[in-house]
Amino acid sequence: MENIRIKGRSINSGLEIRYNKHALFLGLIVFLNLSGFYMLSGLPVDPTDIAVVLEIVYIVYILLTRRGRCEYRYKWAMLMPIFFVLVSSIMANYSYGQPLWFGIRAQRTWLFACLMYFPIVKAMKRGEINVRTIFAMLDVVNVIYVLLVIMQYILGDSVRFMVVMSNERYGSTRLYVSLSFVLISYFVHLMRLLQVRKLVFSDLFFIVVTLFLNLSVVKGRMSIVCLLIGTGLAVLSIRFTIRKLFFVGVLFAAAIAFLTSEVGGDILTMIFNSEESIGGDTSGIRDIGREFFITQTLSDWKTALFGCGFANIDWHQTVIAIRYSEGIYANDNGMFGIFFYYGFSFVIWNFLFYVRLMIDAWRKNRAMFFLLLSDLIKIYTLFPLSYTTNIAFAIVCAVLEGTESGDEKSRGFQIGKKRYRIGL
């Protein structure tokens, strides 16, 4: 995968990059991770499975053709998903009589998404791709993606070109689209806007669009809370300046306006009185599911340590055992659902790994720090980035490691002839 010697500019004004095949290939995988922007439903093979095939190809290609020793900072942590996949498949056989292959097959997207960390890091340490190029690639993909999502939101049911789950919340359409990659670009551009002295359109674009998508399109209450907390802490982390004072004032006014709105009041009710019924809310069934997951997992020392096993709903006995037909879903219960699948072993791994990543991110890249912090807060009801079926988490880990090699050595980024330090 040699570099394509075509110079261009990313949407980050003044940031000169060299596009290369690695970036293009990773961009294609991101596109397929997002189900081809939810527009490739008619294919005989699911786009996410095509992504798995491309991930395997990339892993094998890089590891076989890029000979030589490579040190991986997060090697053992990123190999743990192999352990979890195997053990959870065994435990599902123990708990529900589910065939081993059913458990392994159902976790393929998560497993290979995590393993993508290794070829990305190796390519970075060989100088074939760098952090700036990865961020630029994500920016380009995200711009196309968010514009399509917004267009679908505006058109509503009158014209459907995206095959994505939707319903109505707070009087308008709600689209269940993934924002994993968008959030990476959001925090990068947020920190840039806070620290670079001149305003850049791309920074404003990603900040405004991401807030709009969360507040008006996706409308996930926990996602909104975590994004606002992460944003507020990011603003408070920079040195006191007139710009910081302005942002604090804007955030304060926005917070008051938001909390007095319908969705804001809904969030306050969810936080302070989870038993109160909310129109269209799922908190009641989540409470039942949470209690069920905890009770089942703690019923035996083996399940407490390794979980009840990953549930594949193609196995009838599993569907009955996990009460799936009653509307109890692991992905509605965040870390409690993961605890049910993998037990304390996953919870401990996830917590310790996040602590290590956040320590590194605080020193090297504050944008990734606030991304991980907001991600960690949401695990009460949502799956963390470390348990998504796309390569977003592998990219975050590779970026943190890649900051030590290549062109990001001094914790900064370069715009034109000036160099700026991130998070200081």
Side-chain angles (χ1 to χ4, degrees), residues 369-405:
F369 173 83
F370 291 110
L371 169 68
L372 291 167
L373 177 62
S374 62
D375 187 64
L376 192 60
I377 296 171
K378 75 179 185 183
I379 63 174
Y380 186 72
T381 60
L382 300 172
F383 283 166
L385 201 62
S386 59
Y387 196 65
T388 52
T389 56
N390 58 55
I391 64 172
F393 187 66
I395 286 176
V396 170
C397 295
V399 162
L400 290 177
E401 183 157 350
T403 301
E404 298 176 343
S405 61

Side-chain angles (χ1 to χ4, degrees), residues 304-320:
L305 186 58
F306 300 116
C308 296
F310 188 87
N312 187 328
I313 60 173
D314 290 336
W315 188 249
H316 182 64
Q317 291 174 237
T318 299
V319 174
I320 297 172

Side-chain angles (χ1 to χ4, degrees), residues 245-260:
L245 183 62
F246 171 76
F247 270 106
V248 170
V250 170
L251 284 175
F252 183 72
I256 293 176
F258 174 71
L259 291 175
T260 55

Side-chain angles (χ1 to χ4, degrees), residues 79 88 134 190 263 279 309 334 341 346 408:
L79 286 174
S88 66
I134 290 176
L190 175 66
V263 61
Y341 284 160
F346 187 102
E408 302 288 329

